Amino acid sequence: MKLVLLGPPGAGKGTQAVKIAEKYQIPHISTGDIFRKNVKEGTPLGVEAKKYMDKGALVPDELVVALVNDRLAQEDCRGGFLLDGFPRTVFQAEELDKFLKGEGKALTAVVDLRVDEDELLERMIGRRVCRSCGAPYHVKNMPPKKEGVCDHCGGEVYQRADDTEETVKNRFLVYKEQTMPLVAYYEKAGCLLPIEGTGGPERVFGAIVEALGQ
Ligand code: AP5
């Protein structure tokens, strides 16, 4: 399976990616996670990416494309992969097509998660994440048992720098302008699977598996 997970910020891409990667035994490649790891480690890539991420803007295409091409060339991606948060611009999608064509491959499907903006805002402003293991929480719907402490590993539960109301609104704008054109792009390519992204993670996962048909 060669899959892309598409959808606005907070649509549940990360949540579903973990389940999909486990079911189909494919590597989960999240460009957002790769950038956050580099920011945490203070690498040159992280320092550069942070300038854009903190504003809710996209990291420049050339940085992202090189990084993803390197990752897709690794051995564990031979049998398939799940891209989460990439591509995010038409340029990135075209570069991905070129890369896959060069390897004699094509995408199996693009799963497009759809959720209303009001629900997305509520999800993201309340979202908290464990700094160590990445476990997701929500201040109202899924708080950790002890405030600020991860139930799973005892790590610090924090709010992502780009989950403030102002930044989230900018991320929505960026999504509409730069990423939404990919819906038409993949519809035309005949591989788009629109999925209703509400009703709880298990319901959404069931709908994805059914749509993939295997
Ligand atoms: P990235 O990390 O990819 O952020 P995003 O796309 O904005 O998505 P999120 O991680 O915010 O949300 P998600 O869809 O994964 O939802 P989640 O599962 O967490 O990118 C961050 C930044 O990196 C970008 O802004 C950009 O600067 C840069 N970047 C990354 N990729 C790039 C690229 N290709 N090009 C350029 N720049 C790039 O769920 C959200 C919340 O909802 C959680 O609290 C969760 O518990 C809850 N939830 C999930 N599913 C459900 C459900 N079904 N019902 C109820 N609640 C749910």
Side-chain angles (χ1 to χ4, degrees):
M1 286 249 188
K2 297 168 197 70
L3 301 175
V4 164
L5 259 177
L6 194 64
K13 299 184 294 297
T15 304
Q16 295 303 323
V18 174
K19 297 175 185 293
I20 296 169
E22 194 187 355
K23 175 165 174 69
Y24 298 105
Q25 291 293 299
I26 47 178
H28 168 201
I29 303 169
S30 158
T31 40
D33 286 350
I34 295 172
F35 288 135
R36 277 185 289 279
K37 184 168 183 280
N38 277 273
V39 170
K40 191 174 163 191
E41 291 169 358
T43 66
L45 176 66
V47 171
E48 188 59 20
K50 191 174 185 324
K51 293 182 202 161
Y52 301 92
M53 293 171 79
D54 284 355
K55 288 187 286 198
L58 295 185
V59 176
D61 280 339
E62 58 274 18
L63 286 180
V64 192
V65 168
L67 184 139
V68 173
N69 284 356
D70 276 359
R71 183 64 189 86
L72 290 178
Q74 288 173 22
E75 186 63 32
D76 64 335
C77 294
R78 274 179 184 262
F81 52 80
L82 171 62
L83 286 166
D84 160 10
F86 181 94
R88 252 176 155 100
T89 62
V90 170
F91 179 81
Q92 291 180 14
E94 288 168 348
E95 290 298 307
L96 176 62
D97 283 348
K98 268 190 225 163
F99 179 88
L100 292 176
K101 207 172 166 196
E103 303 242 311
K105 295 176 184 166
L107 288 174
T108 312
V110 174
V111 174
D112 180 27
L113 295 177
R114 299 184 174 183
V115 180
D116 283 350
E117 200 163 305
D118 285 350
E119 175 159 349
L120 291 174
L121 194 62
E122 194 335 87
R123 283 187 189 182
M124 292 171 74
I125 289 171
R127 172 168 57 184
R128 300 293 182 271
V129 188
C130 173
R131 213 183 271 284
S132 305
C133 72
Y137 294 94
H138 189 281
V139 283
K140 278 194 212 145
N141 311 334
M142 206 175 43
K145 290 184 190 120
K146 188 174 170 204
E147 198 185 329
V149 181
C150 178
D151 295 347
H152 305 286
C153 74
E156 182 200 356
V157 173
Y158 82 117
Q159 182 177 31
R160 266 169 52 174
D162 60 351
D163 273 352
T164 60
E165 188 163 350
E166 196 190 339
T167 310
V168 165
K169 286 185 172 162
N170 193 42
R171 286 163 67 194
F172 287 156
L173 277 180
V174 168
Y175 172 78
K176 281 180 195 153
E177 284 172 9
Q178 302 191 53
T179 308
M180 260 179 83
L182 293 183
V183 172
Y185 181 95
Y186 285 121
E187 216 159 32
K188 197 171 162 206
C191 58
L192 191 79
L193 294 179
I195 301 286
E196 173 63 44
T198 54
E202 289 308 327
R203 193 212 65 78
V204 177
F205 181 57
I208 293 172
V209 172
E210 197 182 328
L212 288 172
Q214 38 184 314

